[in-house]
Amino acid sequence: MAEKDESDQLQRFIFDQADVRGQFVQLRETTQEVMHRGGYPPGVQRLIGEGLAAATLLAATLKYPSALTLQLQSNGPMALLLIQARSDGGLRAMARFNGEVPDGAPLSVQAPEGTLAITIEPDAEPDRYQGIVDVGGGTLAQALERYFLESEQLLTRVWLAAEGDAAAGLLLQRLPGQPGHDEDAWDRAGHLAATVQPEELLQLPPLTLLQRLFHEETIRLFDPLSYRFQCRCSEERVAAMLLSLGEEEIRETLAEEGQVEVRCEFCNALYPFDEVDVEALLTSPIARAPDSQRSH
């Protein structure tokens, strides 16, 4: 197995004869890529790492190919945390912040009166689904537990850890019970998982961690899922965004700056449009279409 797959993978498991399933994810290369491109300070890095692990855990619960967006927004130091995860393994993240984001402080300090929105966009359906919860005064993991309880009516426990360029997360979920199943398994699994330490989440190999936590339980493992940094920006997407601003704003920016530049907030890629590019953009069939958003 390639080294990247070992460091950026999610391990799914289920308790035999019990209505409990779980997932454990570790991300290193993906997190390193995000941090390298964004140049974020420590407090923001930790929240991004936890958010990447959280979005990966959430995306792995989806039954159909989909894109999932985790968005934390507030009027405090952490203005915006945006994580996007696809069921095919693509991950990307960006953050906006105002001043210093206290590292390790509760969300009531980092993102006061904030909200956490989870949006799911199935590949095969035009509709999207969204659940929103108040962040509250605890942690991102606790906010996720409330999301599952309020939006999915599923008892869920979540543990997240991030340090530097590494991130990890553990999720346990109670499924609808079946007659004859171990009714105490949910409480037992939660007590066992609650003994995990952040450094264990970040450093122990998946099978070692699961054996350490649940060595007295019978659990069944599924094939691991691999994840990677993947940005979906492109010149075509940027051009479409510029057209939505309208011709007047595009030409004003061109006159003032000499060119129109757009930088992707996820991967830091720069897309410059000089005078020739702008003319080609504004005279393209898409820009001239009757239903386009071009200003006249």
Side-chain angles (χ1 to χ4, degrees):
M1 182 178 292
E3 183 177 333
K4 184 180 189 305
D5 290 339
E6 293 176 355
S7 64
D8 291 64
Q9 69 171 209
L10 179 139
Q11 178 66 64
R12 297 175 296 167
F13 58 94
I14 192 168
F15 286 62
D16 276 342
Q17 301 303 313
D19 306 309
V20 181
R21 70 177 176 183
Q23 297 170 168
F24 173 53
V25 65
Q26 288 179 327
L27 300 170
R28 292 189 180 89
E29 292 191 18
T30 302
T31 311
Q32 290 172 7
E33 190 73 22
V34 170
M35 303 308 179
H36 171 72
R37 291 174 182 269
Y40 299 106
V44 177
Q45 282 189 20
R46 192 179 303 277
L47 274 176
I48 290 177
E50 291 183 355
L52 282 166
T56 307
L57 292 170
L58 289 165
T61 67
L62 302 177
K63 297 180 180 178
Y64 307 103
S66 306
L68 180 141
T69 301
L70 181 152
Q71 179 174 310
L72 170 64
Q73 197 162 6
S74 82
N75 292 322
M78 194 66 183
L80 176 66
L81 172 65
L82 189 64
I83 315 287
Q84 293 184 338
R86 288 194 53 82
S87 52
D88 63 5
L91 287 170
R92 64 178 186 170
M94 57 82 63
R96 296 176 186 162
F97 53 98
N98 302 311
E100 181 182 357
V101 178
D103 190 9
L107 287 179
S108 58
V109 176
Q110 295 175 322
E113 300 181 2
T115 57
L116 180 69
I118 310 295
T119 306
I120 300 169
E121 300 175 85
D123 291 353
E125 298 180 22
D127 297 329
R128 66 177 190 169
Y129 310 91
Q130 186 176 75
I132 301 176
V133 295
D134 291 332
V135 167
T139 63
L140 181 58
Q142 291 169 336
L144 289 174
E145 292 173 356
R146 287 198 303 276
Y147 161 78
F148 275 109
L149 185 61
E150 296 176 13
S151 299
E152 308 291 338
Q153 288 76 54
L154 288 174
L155 288 175
T156 305
R157 296 292 308 277
V158 179
W159 293 264
L160 300 173
E163 187 69 42
D165 291 335
L170 174 66
L171 177 147
L172 293 180
Q173 205 160 60
R174 184 174 186 176
L175 302 175
Q178 298 293 327
H181 278 198
D182 186 348
E183 297 181 357
D184 296 326
W186 171 248
D187 289 336
R188 195 167 63 246
H191 287 307
L192 292 170
T195 66
V196 73
Q197 299 299 311
E199 57 270 19
E200 293 178 316
L201 288 173
L202 293 168
Q203 298 172 11
L204 291 181
L207 298 185
T208 302
L209 179 81
L210 296 180
Q211 175 64 21
R212 187 294 289 134
L213 294 176
F214 309 119
H215 63 276
E216 295 184 355
E217 306 293 328
T218 303
I219 62 174
R220 180 156 36 101
L221 303 177
F222 297 90
D223 291 337
L225 305 176
S226 296
Y227 288 85
R228 67 199 180 281
F229 175 83
Q230 181 183 57
C231 191
R232 292 178 287 123
C233 72
S234 66
E235 187 170 339
E236 290 74 18
R237 289 175 182 267
V238 172
M241 182 277 293
L242 288 176
L243 285 175
S244 72
L245 299 178
E247 179 177 348
E248 182 178 353
E249 184 168 344
I250 294 174
R251 291 196 181 279
E252 285 180 358
T253 303
L254 180 65
E256 293 173 2
E257 306 293 337
Q259 66 178 0
V260 180
E261 292 186 347
V262 177
R263 187 176 295 277
C264 177
E265 292 189 84
F266 287 98
C267 70
N268 208 34
L270 181 65
Y271 293 90
F273 290 75
D274 61 18
E275 184 175 358
V276 175
D277 296 325
V278 168
E279 289 301 326
L281 177 65
L282 294 176
T283 56
S284 68
I286 295 178
R288 300 176 63 86
D291 59 348
S292 75
Q293 299 184 47
R294 178 186 175 191
S295 299
H296 296 277

